[in-house]
Amino acid sequence: MSASTSSTGSSPSLLSNVPFSHPTASNIFKAEHPFSNYWTLQGGLAEVVGVMPRKEQADILIARYFDAVDPVYPMIHRQIFLREYDNFWTSGLPEGNRVDGAFLALIFVMLAMGTQFVNVTSAEKKEETAEFYVSASHQALRMSSYLSRPSMRSIQAMVLMTYFLMNDNHASDAWAFAGILNRQAYALGLNRDPSFIVPHATAFEKQQRRKLWQAVLLQDTFFTVLLKLPPTAMHTDVKVDDLLPDLEDVDGTGAVPHEASDISFIRSMWTLANLVQQTICPQRSLDLPICTSPKQRTNLISSFHQIFASFPAPFQTFTEPFICELASQNKRSARQILFLASNYFHCLMLVCADEHQNIGVDVEGTLQAAHSAMNSFFLLHDLFEDEARVWYHFQNRAFSEALIAAELFKNKPDGTASKAMYVMARMDLMRMIRILQSNSRQEDVVAKTRVGVLSTYL
């Protein structure tokens, strides 16, 4: 068994170079620093307001954000945001001294992420536009003194900026920026039960604090799984069960129709993250075994199965026909199931693939979990191809899963898995290579490198 499939024997985390990524900054940033500087010394927030696109264009990008990003990271209350967004425009573009810098930063980073998901003829133009918008977002944060004045809006913007950096192959920058984000979340007390730290806040305000904390916690947990680095968002007394769908109606007009489903999705992801944070993240960050005995692994796998069984409908139904049918009726829920399944089966695969001197690889369990995890990426690619090309962490998880399955397929330890499992692994490997080949552009070093690596196993 190769060490590359083991949590204890794989190479140290390579940040932006993990796994088989580009070792230098991608072309979206024209300077080494991730936020290019277009700003003058005296420009202030007025200068940032001045580069806002036309409302027609901004509306398209904000709608794309809520279509592609909000379903899987539902931390922004859409009704309230759109109300404030409309006020921003109907009052005329305000002067710098009359605008909330954190809200301006949030608008611009949503424009940047919306740009990442639009279909345009020129990929280079899209990258340049996205870079400009995220630079404007960062400048708005700077002008609002975000390091010393954290707010709900500034932290929402920072969560999205971290995902933006990931999507552009800047994992090192994203990791560093997320460190600031986590400290800011702690400074604002988001990790504390709002019933204790803001007892006089309304039930709705407490709900929004819980939703934002879970966004920080989820990002930190699954990012550290990918990079094998220590988790940060671990000190909290916020309870998953306190997140309730009936708290989403802010003005008596009724909650958004998908809010109940969103809360079920958030609670499922949050429950999974709590288990992963306790049982996988610390061990991988210190190159320690995830489990020290077969019995412990059996119990941990059982815990994963129990969590999966606790997911409410439709999140525990992970079959291709069901998801394809769902995507034709409710794309939002289909996206959520795919993201939840990807994270769940990836982490389950890590548990099964873990090995050291007292415990071997569970080959059958690893191959089955890797297949289910990769299948979530295949379905995302089939149903939402343009989005699958953007999500960094989804792509990297899928490649890691293919690499582990390929190692097992190549070695084929005797008596550890059926022939059918190895045939399935080979088919998954070939499908992953085809997707990478179809996604690769001439200058896409990452895809070319990954195709070359996986091809050596066939």
Side-chain angles (χ1 to χ4, degrees):
M1 179 65 192
S2 169
S4 63
T5 63
S6 169
S7 69
T8 59
S10 56
S11 60
S13 53
L14 303 176
L15 295 175
S16 291
N17 204 28
V18 172
F20 293 97
S21 186
H22 201 290
T24 58
S26 62
N27 288 336
I28 191 164
F29 295 126
K30 309 305 179 185
E32 291 185 4
H33 193 276
F35 307 112
S36 298
N37 185 14
Y38 301 96
W39 317 103
T40 62
L41 183 63
Q42 303 299 327
L45 280 175
E47 188 174 39
V48 181
V49 173
V51 300
M52 182 70 68
R54 299 190 312 275
K55 185 177 186 299
E56 295 78 10
Q57 179 64 22
D59 288 349
I60 292 172
L61 298 178
I62 293 296
R64 189 66 182 118
Y65 168 87
F66 279 110
D67 184 44
V69 181
D70 184 67
V72 292
Y73 298 112
M75 63 172 178
I76 296 173
H77 195 278
R78 184 170 185 168
Q79 291 170 301
I80 292 180
F81 172 83
L82 291 179
R83 184 182 306 162
E84 295 179 5
Y85 173 79
D86 288 339
N87 290 338
F88 176 84
W89 287 100
T90 56
S91 62
L93 291 183
E95 297 295 332
N97 60 357
R98 293 192 295 110
V99 67
D100 178 359
F103 184 65
L104 185 62
L106 181 61
I107 293 176
F108 267 111
V109 74
M110 292 170 71
L111 295 177
M113 295 206 73
T115 301
Q116 288 185 321
F117 289 95
V118 295
N119 293 319
V120 295
T121 55
S122 171
E124 182 178 354
K125 178 64 174 177
K126 180 167 74 170
E127 291 174 350
E128 290 175 352
T129 303
E131 177 208 6
F132 182 75
Y133 288 152
V134 82
S135 176
S137 178
H138 185 253
Q139 179 69 357
L141 285 180
R142 290 182 63 246
M143 292 297 98
S144 64
S145 302
Y146 76 108
L147 290 178
S148 59
R149 296 170 57 190
S151 67
M152 295 281 286
R153 289 304 194 201
S154 69
I155 291 177
Q156 288 172 337
M158 293 174 74
V159 169
L160 295 180
M161 291 174 88
T162 302
Y163 282 123
F164 180 92
L165 293 172
M166 290 187 207
N167 289 346
D168 284 310
N169 198 31
H170 282 257
S172 291
D173 299 307
W175 173 257
F177 194 72
I180 301 174
L181 162 63
N182 279 274
R183 290 294 181 94
Q184 295 290 80
Y186 280 135
L188 199 61
L190 293 180
N191 63 309
R192 298 301 314 279
D193 185 336
S195 298
F196 297 140
I197 197 166
V198 284
H200 302 298
T202 66
F204 175 79
E205 290 168 342
K206 294 175 182 177
Q207 175 89 335
Q208 300 314 300
R209 290 178 66 91
R210 295 185 188 102
K211 288 177 69 175
L212 185 51
W213 171 248
Q214 67 79 30
V216 174
L217 183 146
L218 262 59
Q219 183 180 83
D220 177 70
T221 300
F222 295 113
F223 200 14
T224 56
V225 167
L226 180 63
L227 298 182
K228 291 184 61 179
L229 291 171
T232 303
M234 298 186 68
H235 307 286
T236 179
D237 56 4
V238 183
K239 301 178 182 64
V240 178
D241 293 340
D242 289 340
L243 198 68
L244 301 172
D246 59 356
L247 298 179
E248 289 297 303
D249 183 7
V250 63
D251 53 12
T253 59
V256 178
H258 56 69
E259 286 294 350
S261 177
D262 282 357
I263 295 300
S264 294
F265 168 67
I266 291 172
R267 291 178 62 165
S268 298
M269 287 286 288
W270 196 345
T271 303
L272 174 63
N274 285 341
L275 177 64
V276 171
Q277 195 180 73
Q278 296 166 10
T279 62
I280 295 179
C281 292
Q283 291 82 349
R284 280 172 60 83
S285 69
L286 295 173
D287 285 330
L288 296 174
I290 294 175
C291 299
T292 57
S293 69
K295 181 179 180 180
Q296 184 184 5
R297 180 156 69 187
T298 298
N299 290 338
L300 181 53
I301 290 174
S302 177
S303 296
F304 271 88
H305 290 166
Q306 289 173 14
I307 282 182
F308 190 84
S310 73
F311 294 158
F315 298 109
Q316 59 179 234
T317 307
F318 184 64
T319 63
E320 186 168 343
F322 174 80
I323 293 174
C324 290
E325 176 65 21
L326 183 64
S328 68
Q329 304 171 7
N330 188 340
K331 290 181 171 59
R332 187 179 187 90
S333 291
R335 290 183 177 97
Q336 291 174 344
I337 292 175
L338 293 174
F339 270 69
L340 177 59
S342 174
N343 282 291
Y344 172 84
F345 287 111
H346 180 83
C347 293
L348 181 59
M349 178 199 69
L350 294 177
V351 174
C352 294
D354 187 50
E355 66 170 343
H356 59 92
Q357 58 184 0
N358 296 324
I359 185 172
V361 175
D362 177 356
V363 177
E364 185 111 10
T366 300
L367 290 175
Q368 184 60 60
H371 168 73
S372 297
M374 280 188 282
N375 199 42
S376 66
F377 176 72
F378 297 153
L379 285 171
L380 184 72
H381 186 269
D382 290 346
L383 298 171
F384 310 101
E385 181 176 350
D386 293 329
E387 297 172 25
R389 294 172 185 265
V390 175
W391 287 120
Y392 164 90
H393 47 302
F394 217 127
Q395 296 173 22
N396 277 270
R397 278 196 303 269
F399 175 74
S400 299
E401 292 144 12
L403 198 59
I404 287 177
E407 188 72 29
L408 291 173
F409 168 76
K410 181 179 180 179
N411 292 330
K412 294 186 179 66
D414 293 335
T416 54
S418 66
K419 181 179 179 181
M421 293 295 295
Y422 289 119
V423 171
M424 180 180 68
R426 189 176 191 278
M427 292 176 63
D428 289 340
L429 180 58
M430 294 175 64
R431 189 173 180 183
M432 181 65 69
I433 291 174
R434 288 196 299 270
I435 289 176
L436 288 171
Q437 289 173 331
S438 68
N439 287 353
S440 64
R441 304 188 299 269
Q442 185 175 359
E443 70 278 9
D444 193 338
V445 178
V446 175
K448 286 184 176 181
T449 301
R450 291 178 173 180
V451 168
V453 170
L454 294 179
S455 296
T456 63
Y457 289 93
L458 294 177

